[in-house]
Amino acid sequence: MKLCIDNADVNEIRRLCAVYPIDGVSTNPSILAKSGRNPYEVLREIRSIIGEDGELFAQVISADAEGMVREARRIVEETGRRTLVKIPCVPEGYRAMKLLKAEGIRFIGTAVYTAMQGFLAAKAGAEYVAPYVNRIENLGSDGVGVSKDIHDMIVKNGIDSGLLAASFKNTRQVLELVRYGVKAVTVPPDILDGFVKLAEVGNAVDVFRADFEGLCGAGKTMEDC
Ligand code: G3P
């Protein structure tokens, strides 16, 4: 399973990549807007942090398929052909997917709220399908359940695709999908930090250190005791 960061703050991305096993970074127009910088400048900087093998996701804005394709060409021209272009799963988006597939540009289906919407993107050749877990839950539906359905439909139909589950607002939503074996999740920094930021864990480590220093002296470690 791939673990991606859903954010465009390059300082946060640099910090998280230095600590955790991060496979990539996803952005969307709203996330890029928060940076206040030129989108391509930000995307290129993210690419330099995650390296050529990292997954980088950038979304198109246009409402029509031809516009989406033109944007996709510019995105890969500016950031490299390994970048995955996020195409909203609306009728024009599916039409754009056909055109992008013919051009060999990598893409994913995004803004997925229903299982069949996601299944169609996988069938259209999307490498990933991005269900918006928490946004679905905010509609009173089961975001984790919709995501599991899409995963099952892809697997059972033998389609070469998988989830990039997105829009998480708590660790439990992520945990359920990791446990289910989805292809990828993309998680905002605060949720990612929350995976391990438990006071009890910090306390346990502090007690180990204090006990060891009681044995060997203040500041001593296994290196110099
Ligand atoms: O990148 C798309 C998705 O992650 C949106 O998340 O937090 O705006 O619901 P959010």
Side-chain angles (χ1 to χ4, degrees):
M1 188 215 67
K2 294 200 170 181
L3 174 61
C4 299
I5 304 168
D6 202 26
N7 200 265
D9 179 331
V10 291
N11 293 325
E12 280 290 80
I13 292 167
R14 207 172 274 113
R15 175 182 71 80
L16 292 165
C17 285
V19 177
Y20 298 116
I22 301 298
D23 298 294
V25 172
S26 64
T27 67
N28 65 32
S30 308
I31 286 173
L32 284 173
K34 281 186 198 145
S35 77
R37 300 169 57 195
N38 177 279
Y40 287 117
E41 189 186 297
V42 175
L43 290 167
R44 280 194 294 268
E45 196 168 339
I46 295 172
R47 169 60 77 202
S48 76
I49 298 168
I50 62 176
E52 278 309 306
D53 290 337
E55 300 282 45
L56 177 61
F57 301 86
Q59 189 167 327
V60 297
I61 316 296
S62 299
D64 65 299
E66 286 72 21
M68 291 180 193
V69 171
R70 285 195 299 276
E71 287 185 74
R73 289 185 192 131
R74 169 100 192 266
I75 288 170
V76 295
E77 196 180 295
E78 297 270 0
T79 64
R81 288 195 71 83
R82 286 195 53 77
T83 300
L84 287 130
V85 181
K86 293 173 77 177
I87 305 292
C89 290
V90 295
E92 281 298 297
Y94 292 113
R95 198 159 72 78
M97 290 179 198
K98 282 181 186 282
L99 302 170
L100 292 175
K101 199 171 176 208
E103 287 196 26
I105 292 178
R106 299 176 74 193
F107 61 91
I108 90 162
T110 196
V112 171
Y113 286 74
T114 71
M116 285 312 293
Q117 191 196 3
F119 177 71
L120 273 181
K123 198 163 160 43
E127 277 185 50
Y128 294 92
V129 174
Y132 284 3
V133 177
N134 197 68
R135 293 195 194 191
I136 297 170
E137 307 222 321
N138 281 345
L139 295 174
S141 298
D142 179 2
V144 170
V146 168
S147 303
K148 288 179 177 177
D149 280 348
I150 299 170
H151 172 87
D152 288 345
M153 290 153 88
I154 289 171
V155 171
K156 287 181 181 161
N157 285 279
I159 298 173
D160 186 15
S161 185
L163 295 198
L164 171 71
S167 176
F168 289 108
K169 286 295 169 288
N170 63 62
T171 301
R172 184 164 182 84
Q173 294 166 337
V174 185
L175 183 150
E176 289 215 27
L177 291 175
V178 172
R179 188 164 55 195
Y180 208 66
V182 302
K183 186 175 180 182
V185 294
T186 186
V187 184
D190 58 330
I191 305 288
L192 198 44
D193 283 327
F195 289 173
V196 290
K197 213 184 255 180
L198 294 172
E200 203 49 48
V201 177
N203 292 344
V205 174
D206 288 346
V207 169
F208 288 140
R209 186 172 301 113
D211 287 346
F212 191 86
E213 289 184 343
L215 175 69
C216 295
K220 292 292 183 186
T221 68
M222 288 296 281
E223 185 192 3
D224 56 6
C225 61

